[in-house]
Amino acid sequence: MMSKWGLVPRSFEGTLFDVVDELQRCGHISQMQSQQLYGLVRVAMGNQYKAELDMQKHLMLQTTAAVCGAIVPVIIGVQSTLADAAVKTYISYFAIFLSLLQTLAGTVSQVGGYNQNAITLRMTAAEIKAEIYKYQALGGEYSSPADYQAQYPRLMNHLAEFRQKAVAAAFEGRGGKDGKDEKKAEQDEARKVNDMMIGDGAKRGV
């Protein structure tokens, strides 16, 4: 049940590494090229893992806000039927607490941008995975010439664009430069995001 609702991270590891292994085993790419692809696969898996975590936060916060919003009117209705003044006072405090919790959960969800960030990360991961599969099949723009070595630079160029998009999205999502020079801040953020994505991919066991 929890997995179906997206509250438990799903496993996405394995398949892309199998693709890269097969390309190297068949002699289509060199060992160095396979290592480059391994790094980008980890970026894709790291993005997917981070997206699942952000989506969990978004769902939990939204669920909390919805439950609190549904309970408060019920509590107020029950309170009006009570005769004991002390109990009515405690119930009023509880209703106020739930209202504050609802507001806090909704605000954190909006300010954190977890839903939008999860969508961006999922899209970037999907683009990287789709591009590798397309390269493996020598389909689309990789079909002419139908040669793995000739098309490898084009693959790396596209994957670099997708990776940069993920870095830019994460940089924007974290709210700016923190007083640093813009170029320096961007470089620092790129290093952090790259390390985070690769590390998250490693945590998935991929």
Side-chain angles (χ1 to χ4, degrees):
M1 182 76 70
M2 298 284 281
S3 178
K4 185 182 291 188
W5 289 350
L7 299 178
V8 177
R10 290 170 290 172
S11 176
F12 294 87
E13 67 266 16
T15 54
L16 280 180
F17 279 107
D18 293 338
V19 169
V20 176
D21 287 341
E22 183 67 20
L23 287 170
Q24 184 186 355
R25 190 161 47 245
C26 294
H28 298 316
I29 59 175
S30 67
Q31 184 175 1
M32 181 178 294
Q33 289 171 332
S34 70
Q35 292 301 318
Q36 291 174 329
L37 285 179
Y38 285 148
L40 289 164
V41 169
R42 287 191 178 91
V43 169
M45 296 305 177
N47 278 354
Q48 186 67 62
Y49 180 58
K50 182 66 164 56
E52 292 295 334
L53 295 180
D54 282 350
M55 187 55 68
Q56 286 180 55
K57 294 173 186 175
H58 172 73
L59 289 174
M60 290 300 293
L61 289 168
Q62 289 297 311
T63 301
T64 300
V67 169
C68 290
I71 290 176
V72 168
V74 175
I75 291 176
I76 293 174
V78 170
Q79 179 195 25
S80 64
T81 65
L82 297 175
D84 192 316
V87 174
K88 292 177 71 172
T89 300
Y90 287 128
I91 289 181
S92 295
Y93 289 148
F94 185 55
I96 291 171
F97 167 76
L98 289 179
S99 296
L100 291 173
L101 183 59
Q102 177 189 10
T103 302
L104 179 62
T107 301
V108 171
S109 178
Q110 291 296 320
V111 173
Y114 297 118
N115 187 44
Q116 186 58 45
N117 194 41
I119 292 171
T120 302
L121 289 170
R122 278 177 171 171
M123 288 178 61
T124 304
E127 286 172 332
I128 292 175
K129 290 189 281 187
E131 204 67 23
I132 292 176
Y133 282 126
K134 195 192 301 182
Y135 173 75
Q136 180 199 26
L138 289 177
E141 59 191 302
Y142 298 107
S143 61
S144 181
D147 179 85
Y148 288 100
Q149 286 301 316
Q151 296 294 347
Y152 188 80
R154 176 177 291 175
L155 170 68
M156 296 307 292
N157 181 57
H158 288 170
L159 293 180
E161 290 175 359
F162 299 148
R163 185 171 186 169
Q164 182 58 36
K165 186 193 299 184
V167 171
F171 178 70
E172 291 170 7
R174 295 189 184 188
K177 302 179 289 184
D178 295 329
K180 297 180 183 177
D181 170 76
E182 186 171 351
K183 187 171 182 181
K184 177 69 165 57
E186 228 175 294
Q187 290 171 344
D188 290 347
E189 188 64 25
R191 280 194 293 270
K192 276 187 207 171
V193 173
N194 286 341
D195 291 344
M196 175 195 71
M197 289 173 180
I198 293 173
D200 285 340
K203 281 193 281 187
R204 298 298 292 167
V206 299

